[in-house]
Amino acid sequence: MIDDALLDQCRRGSEPAFRTLYYRTMPRVRAWVARFIGPNAPVDDVVQDVFVQLHRSIAAFRGEAAFGTWLYRVTLNVAASHLRRAGRDERRLDRTAPAGEPAQERRHDPAQRAGHDAARDPGHDEERRLQARDDLRRLYRALDTLSPDQRAAFVLYELEGRSLQDIAAITDCPVPTAAARLRRARSRIVEVLGGTGSGKRARATEDSA
């Protein structure tokens, strides 16, 4: 719980108050970052950058929006900056794939997969867990093709379960703009995944991985 008294102390530069704010909000921020930038990404580094930015800017917070909305906005901005710096199309390449062999095709080769399954004999639940993890990687590769605004709309709506009104407040845009970004994001995800992607599938996949 973040109350006005704690925020006021943070705005006045109290380091103990900011540490309290950090410990109370860090789990939420980490979950947001992980959902926005995806698996196999430097989540902890981005979280650290979020709190550096929060420390720099909290004195300017005047409560025009709810603190949670403002915090989410800061988190999204920092995470989007990370994706731009990292190069979204190259962040999650499988560096173990032999030259000339696409990483995705290697992972989905039926004969190779069957061999691994037989060698490890993971059982049905393990197989489903591995498939869900692979589906999640594919989803985030598709998300990497979106603009930051479209990605934010998709993640907030489909993975966070936020309303269009929430998305508009967090991303500081009108509700129709948020809805248009979500529609474009969904269309692009379906295109990239070959018609296999959907919002419900995205949420279920993330929960299973």
Side-chain angles (χ1 to χ4, degrees):
M1 180 68 178
I2 306 301
D3 55 39
D4 291 340
L6 180 62
L7 290 175
D8 187 58
Q9 292 177 51
C10 290
R11 285 193 294 262
R12 293 172 182 270
S14 168
E15 292 301 327
F18 190 82
R19 282 195 296 272
T20 299
L21 181 73
Y22 170 82
Y23 286 117
R24 291 183 183 179
T25 60
M26 189 273 290
R28 273 186 291 165
V29 169
R30 195 180 193 286
W32 294 341
V33 169
R35 282 183 166 173
F36 191 73
I37 66 177
N40 304 322
V43 172
D44 290 333
D45 290 346
V46 178
V47 170
Q48 180 178 347
D49 289 345
V50 169
F51 282 97
V52 169
Q53 180 60 39
L54 190 64
H55 191 271
R56 291 172 178 168
S57 59
I58 196 167
F61 176 67
R62 293 291 179 265
E64 290 87 354
F67 175 74
T69 298
W70 183 76
L71 177 61
Y72 211 140
R73 189 180 301 165
V74 171
T75 302
L76 284 182
N77 287 339
V78 172
S81 294
H82 163 79
L83 291 180
R84 286 191 292 268
R85 290 194 307 268
R88 292 174 298 174
D89 293 336
E90 298 178 1
R91 286 189 312 109
R92 286 184 288 275
L93 289 179
D94 186 346
R95 288 180 172 82
T96 64
E101 179 184 1
Q104 182 176 349
E105 291 181 7
R106 189 173 66 86
R107 278 195 298 270
H108 289 281
D109 177 54
Q112 184 184 54
R113 183 169 183 173
H116 282 310
D117 287 347
R120 291 181 300 179
D121 190 24
H124 183 64
D125 290 342
E126 178 69 7
E127 183 178 356
R128 289 183 60 188
R129 186 180 67 82
L130 292 173
Q131 182 61 54
R133 183 177 296 175
D134 191 61
D135 287 344
L136 188 60
R137 282 194 293 263
R138 292 180 63 241
L139 172 62
Y140 275 94
R141 283 196 297 272
L143 287 176
D144 284 345
T145 69
L146 304 179
S147 72
D149 287 339
Q150 292 170 6
R151 185 182 185 118
F154 186 90
V155 170
L156 286 166
Y157 191 89
E158 299 292 358
L159 301 185
E160 291 283 340
R162 300 278 184 149
S163 68
L164 287 174
Q165 289 76 15
D166 287 342
I167 297 170
I170 291 168
T171 59
D172 196 22
C173 71
V175 171
T177 300
R181 290 171 178 172
L182 178 60
R183 284 196 300 272
R184 287 193 290 269
R186 284 171 162 169
S187 177
R188 178 60 178 162
I189 293 296
V190 170
E191 177 185 349
V192 171
L193 295 180
T196 61
S198 70
K200 291 181 180 179
R201 177 180 176 275
R203 206 160 25 233
T205 297
E206 194 211 27
D207 290 342
S208 299

